[in-house]
Amino acid sequence: MKIVIDNAIPYISGVLEPYADVVYRPAAAISREDAADADMLIIRTRTRCDRHLLEGSRVSIIATATIGFDHIDLGYCASHGIEVVTAQGCNAAGVLQWVGAVLAALAADEGWQPRQKTLGIVGVGHVGSLVEEYARMWGFRVLRCDPPRHEREGGDFLPLEEVAAASDILTLHTPLDATTRHMADSRLTDIMRPDAVLINAARGEVADTAALLAAPQRLALDVWENEPAIDRGLLSKAFIATPHIAGYSAQGKANATAAVVRAAARKFGLPLGDWYPPQATPVARCPITWEKMCGTMPQYFDIAAQSRALKSAPEEFESMRNNYRLRQEYF
């Protein structure tokens, strides 16, 4: 059995070697030749899994150590019997804490308290639900938009336009698909208050770069179109700019790696069904006050320093992302 693994996935080295021929490759270098005789691919977002990579291969399962799956041609995989596994929810707490760092930086810069602000959440899944829970705890008025959940559950979900018009801060946590690509376009920014803030920690293509460049709103961006070749004008404009590392906590990465290892265990009958990286310590979710979060966040995650680093060396985007020192979750 052969398994090809993205060599930037942490904690996985040595885990599957007792059971398979394991080949490690940089994400962008995983080739059709690598896949041809592989039984499994373990990847991240930088490896495009489509006909070009997979045709003629014996790959039977692709496990991505990410919550997103827009880099995988699901239609092709379904028609060729290739199982696709994601690590949904793995980094929700890490993204929550990135959002918390953004909110704390905005509050310090603009001089407000949460009770004075309406926070709109677009996409209320694993990440958005956690952001909602903590935002309400901190005192924000929260509005929610999630059409698929509204269709399934009903409830107090609102249309995107209504949430956008009423929010002081709009944060995006949707997957990328045909319905969400360029969801944040000029029409949406025209609806938003000019003095509002738009946060995107979903996927770069959820927002239209040209629309963001022309928009009056402040921006906090972790994801970008055309990564790693990001638009320098948009980078300059953003109040907060980070290199797609919102979910890069030690625990989030451990969760993702555990998910793909367990997928291999289930698929191939390996004794790793309960495996979790011994290098990481899980953190139980716990309440934290707004004041304590703002006061403690800089020692856990100095988001302003990360933003300055990216703005000063945008050509290092991919290096910053691949060599990021994983931060520890603490709430």
Side-chain angles (χ1 to χ4, degrees), residues 10-272:
Y11 311 128
I12 201 169
S13 179
V15 176
L16 293 168
E17 277 80 348
Y19 314 101
D21 174 19
V22 179
V23 175
Y24 294 93
R25 294 279 188 268
I30 295 176
S31 68
R32 187 169 179 148
E33 291 69 32
D34 293 320
D37 60 347
D39 298 279
M40 182 178 190
L41 304 180
I42 297 179
I43 60 165
R44 298 179 304 141
T45 55
R46 291 297 190 256
T47 302
R48 175 69 184 168
C49 294
D50 55 13
R51 179 184 298 276
H52 177 75
L53 180 69
L54 299 168
E55 189 168 40
S57 77
R58 70 175 193 224
V59 171
S60 62
I61 180 171
I62 298 168
T64 182
T66 64
I67 61 172
F69 48 80
D70 48 282
H71 52 298
I72 302 173
D73 186 335
L74 298 180
Y76 180 88
C77 290
S79 66
H80 289 76
I82 301 172
E83 181 182 358
V84 175
V85 177
T86 71
Q88 288 189 7
C90 67
N91 64 357
V95 179
L96 163 70
Q97 292 179 26
W98 181 90
V99 172
V102 169
L103 295 175
L106 285 167
D109 187 64
E110 298 175 352
W112 47 257
Q113 290 294 316
R115 65 180 180 275
Q116 300 170 293
K117 295 295 180 180
T118 296
L119 178 70
I121 302 173
V122 184
V124 195
H126 292 289
V127 175
S129 293
L130 208 52
V131 171
E132 177 191 1
E133 176 186 342
Y134 278 79
R136 291 190 190 278
M137 182 192 312
W138 293 331
F140 288 92
R141 174 185 179 231
V142 174
L143 300 177
R144 307 185 302 164
C145 171
D146 193 311
R149 281 193 63 187
H150 185 247
E151 184 175 343
R152 293 193 306 267
E153 306 166 21
D156 63 350
F157 296 100
L158 299 172
L160 175 61
E161 293 79 9
E162 188 172 338
V163 173
S167 296
D168 301 294
I169 304 164
L170 190 69
T171 185
L172 309 180
H173 300 290
T174 67
L176 176 63
D177 57 29
T179 66
T180 61
R181 185 177 295 274
H182 283 189
M183 177 182 66
D185 57 8
S186 59
R187 186 180 64 88
L188 188 73
T189 58
D190 285 347
I191 292 171
M192 293 175 65
R193 298 171 182 174
D195 60 349
V197 177
L198 179 64
I199 299 173
N200 188 9
R203 281 290 184 270
E205 290 79 9
V206 167
D208 177 14
T209 296
L212 296 189
L213 282 167
Q217 290 83 17
R218 299 187 91 180
L219 306 173
L221 303 175
D222 179 60
V223 291
W224 314 73
E225 289 196 285
N226 304 313
E227 293 177 14
I230 64 176
D231 188 280
R232 304 301 173 85
L234 188 57
L235 174 65
S236 177
K237 178 182 178 180
F239 170 65
I240 292 291
T242 55
H244 201 156
I245 48 79
Y248 275 32
S249 67
Q251 291 74 20
K253 286 294 186 180
N255 294 340
T257 302
V260 298
V261 168
R262 292 172 184 177
R266 175 186 50 75
K267 184 73 172 180
F268 302 114
L270 309 180
L272 297 167

Side-chain angles (χ1 to χ4, degrees), residues 281-298:
T281 302
V283 174
R285 302 278 65 77
C286 60
I288 186 171
T289 65
W290 172 255
E291 291 76 17
K292 184 174 181 180
M293 189 277 291
C294 291
T296 55
M297 182 59 74

